[in-house]
PDB file of all heavy atoms in Angstrom:
ATOM      1  N   LEU S 209      49.716  31.199  46.840  1.00  0.00           N
ATOM      2  CA  LEU S 209      48.525  32.045  46.814  1.00  0.00           C
ATOM      3  C   LEU S 209      47.514  31.623  47.880  1.00  0.00           C
ATOM      4  O   LEU S 209      46.840  32.462  48.463  1.00  0.00           O
ATOM      5  CB  LEU S 209      47.880  32.043  45.424  1.00  0.00           C
ATOM      6  CG  LEU S 209      48.663  32.789  44.323  1.00  0.00           C
ATOM      7  CD1 LEU S 209      47.951  32.669  42.991  1.00  0.00           C
ATOM      8  CD2 LEU S 209      48.874  34.254  44.677  1.00  0.00           C
ATOM      9  N   VAL S 210      47.414  30.320  48.112  1.00  0.00           N
ATOM     10  CA  VAL S 210      46.485  29.883  49.159  1.00  0.00           C
ATOM     11  C   VAL S 210      47.167  29.849  50.515  1.00  0.00           C
ATOM     12  O   VAL S 210      46.581  29.422  51.510  1.00  0.00           O
ATOM     13  CB  VAL S 210      45.829  28.505  48.864  1.00  0.00           C
ATOM     14  CG1 VAL S 210      45.049  28.563  47.568  1.00  0.00           C
ATOM     15  CG2 VAL S 210      46.845  27.387  48.858  1.00  0.00           C
ATOM     16  N   GLY S 211      48.420  30.284  50.577  1.00  0.00           N
ATOM     17  CA  GLY S 211      49.086  30.399  51.875  1.00  0.00           C
ATOM     18  C   GLY S 211      49.561  29.079  52.426  1.00  0.00           C
ATOM     19  O   GLY S 211      49.695  28.914  53.636  1.00  0.00           O
ATOM     20  N   GLY S 212      49.848  28.137  51.544  1.00  0.00           N
ATOM     21  CA  GLY S 212      50.256  26.815  52.008  1.00  0.00           C
ATOM     22  C   GLY S 212      51.660  26.749  52.585  1.00  0.00           C
ATOM     23  O   GLY S 212      51.998  25.813  53.278  1.00  0.00           O
ATOM     24  N   VAL S 213      52.475  27.751  52.286  1.00  0.00           N
ATOM     25  CA  VAL S 213      53.843  27.718  52.798  1.00  0.00           C
ATOM     26  C   VAL S 213      53.926  28.515  54.099  1.00  0.00           C
ATOM     27  O   VAL S 213      54.081  29.728  54.079  1.00  0.00           O
ATOM     28  CB  VAL S 213      54.842  28.303  51.769  1.00  0.00           C
ATOM     29  CG1 VAL S 213      56.257  28.191  52.305  1.00  0.00           C
ATOM     30  CG2 VAL S 213      54.699  27.611  50.436  1.00  0.00           C
ATOM     31  N   ALA S 214      53.814  27.819  55.193  1.00  0.00           N
ATOM     32  CA  ALA S 214      54.018  28.430  56.515  1.00  0.00           C
ATOM     33  C   ALA S 214      53.186  29.692  56.696  1.00  0.00           C
ATOM     34  O   ALA S 214      53.596  30.645  57.315  1.00  0.00           O
ATOM     35  CB  ALA S 214      55.505  28.759  56.723  1.00  0.00           C
ATOM     36  N   ASP S 215      52.023  29.689  56.122  1.00  0.00           N
ATOM     37  CA  ASP S 215      51.193  30.882  56.193  1.00  0.00           C
ATOM     38  C   ASP S 215      49.796  30.520  56.679  1.00  0.00           C
ATOM     39  O   ASP S 215      49.418  29.349  56.690  1.00  0.00           O
ATOM     40  CB  ASP S 215      51.105  31.528  54.814  1.00  0.00           C
ATOM     41  CG  ASP S 215      51.881  32.822  54.777  1.00  0.00           C
ATOM     42  OD1 ASP S 215      51.723  33.622  55.722  1.00  0.00           O
ATOM     43  OD2 ASP S 215      52.617  33.040  53.810  1.00  0.00           O
ATOM     44  N   GLY S 216      49.023  31.513  57.045  1.00  0.00           N
ATOM     45  CA  GLY S 216      47.733  31.211  57.644  1.00  0.00           C
ATOM     46  C   GLY S 216      46.544  31.246  56.696  1.00  0.00           C
ATOM     47  O   GLY S 216      45.416  31.029  57.109  1.00  0.00           O
ATOM     48  N   PHE S 217      46.778  31.515  55.397  1.00  0.00           N
ATOM     49  CA  PHE S 217      45.648  31.608  54.475  1.00  0.00           C
ATOM     50  C   PHE S 217      45.043  30.243  54.206  1.00  0.00           C
ATOM     51  O   PHE S 217      45.742  29.242  54.149  1.00  0.00           O
ATOM     52  CB  PHE S 217      46.098  32.210  53.144  1.00  0.00           C
ATOM     53  CG  PHE S 217      46.550  33.622  53.281  1.00  0.00           C
ATOM     54  CD1 PHE S 217      47.891  33.955  53.213  1.00  0.00           C
ATOM     55  CD2 PHE S 217      45.624  34.625  53.510  1.00  0.00           C
ATOM     56  CE1 PHE S 217      48.302  35.255  53.359  1.00  0.00           C
ATOM     57  CE2 PHE S 217      46.038  35.937  53.660  1.00  0.00           C
ATOM     58  CZ  PHE S 217      47.375  36.252  53.584  1.00  0.00           C
ATOM     59  N   ASP S 218      43.768  30.215  53.998  1.00  0.00           N
ATOM     60  CA  ASP S 218      43.164  28.953  53.598  1.00  0.00           C
ATOM     61  C   ASP S 218      42.740  29.043  52.129  1.00  0.00           C
ATOM     62  O   ASP S 218      42.844  30.092  51.499  1.00  0.00           O
ATOM     63  CB  ASP S 218      41.983  28.597  54.520  1.00  0.00           C
ATOM     64  CG  ASP S 218      40.945  29.697  54.549  1.00  0.00           C
ATOM     65  OD1 ASP S 218      40.876  30.483  53.578  1.00  0.00           O
ATOM     66  OD2 ASP S 218      40.214  29.788  55.551  1.00  0.00           O
ATOM     67  N   LEU S 219      42.281  27.908  51.627  1.00  0.00           N
ATOM     68  CA  LEU S 219      41.928  27.838  50.215  1.00  0.00           C
ATOM     69  C   LEU S 219      40.896  28.890  49.838  1.00  0.00           C
ATOM     70  O   LEU S 219      40.939  29.483  48.760  1.00  0.00           O
ATOM     71  CB  LEU S 219      41.394  26.434  49.902  1.00  0.00           C
ATOM     72  CG  LEU S 219      41.180  26.111  48.418  1.00  0.00           C
ATOM     73  CD1 LEU S 219      42.491  26.157  47.669  1.00  0.00           C
ATOM     74  CD2 LEU S 219      40.546  24.731  48.265  1.00  0.00           C
ATOM     75  N   ALA S 220      39.959  29.138  50.751  1.00  0.00           N
ATOM     76  CA  ALA S 220      38.897  30.103  50.478  1.00  0.00           C
ATOM     77  C   ALA S 220      39.459  31.498  50.246  1.00  0.00           C
ATOM     78  O   ALA S 220      38.834  32.332  49.587  1.00  0.00           O
ATOM     79  CB  ALA S 220      37.903  30.133  51.635  1.00  0.00           C
ATOM     80  N   GLU S 221      40.671  31.726  50.765  1.00  0.00           N
ATOM     81  CA  GLU S 221      41.264  33.048  50.620  1.00  0.00           C
ATOM     82  C   GLU S 221      41.548  33.394  49.149  1.00  0.00           C
ATOM     83  O   GLU S 221      41.408  34.549  48.740  1.00  0.00           O
ATOM     84  CB  GLU S 221      42.550  33.137  51.460  1.00  0.00           C
ATOM     85  CG  GLU S 221      43.245  34.484  51.450  1.00  0.00           C
ATOM     86  CD  GLU S 221      42.351  35.652  51.860  1.00  0.00           C
ATOM     87  OE1 GLU S 221      41.381  35.446  52.613  1.00  0.00           O
ATOM     88  OE2 GLU S 221      42.613  36.771  51.394  1.00  0.00           O
TER      89      GLU S 221
END
Side-chain angles (χ1 to χ4, degrees):
Chain S
L209 289 178
V210 300
V213 183
D215 251 314
F217 295 107
D218 56 24
L219 189 63
E221 182 55 27

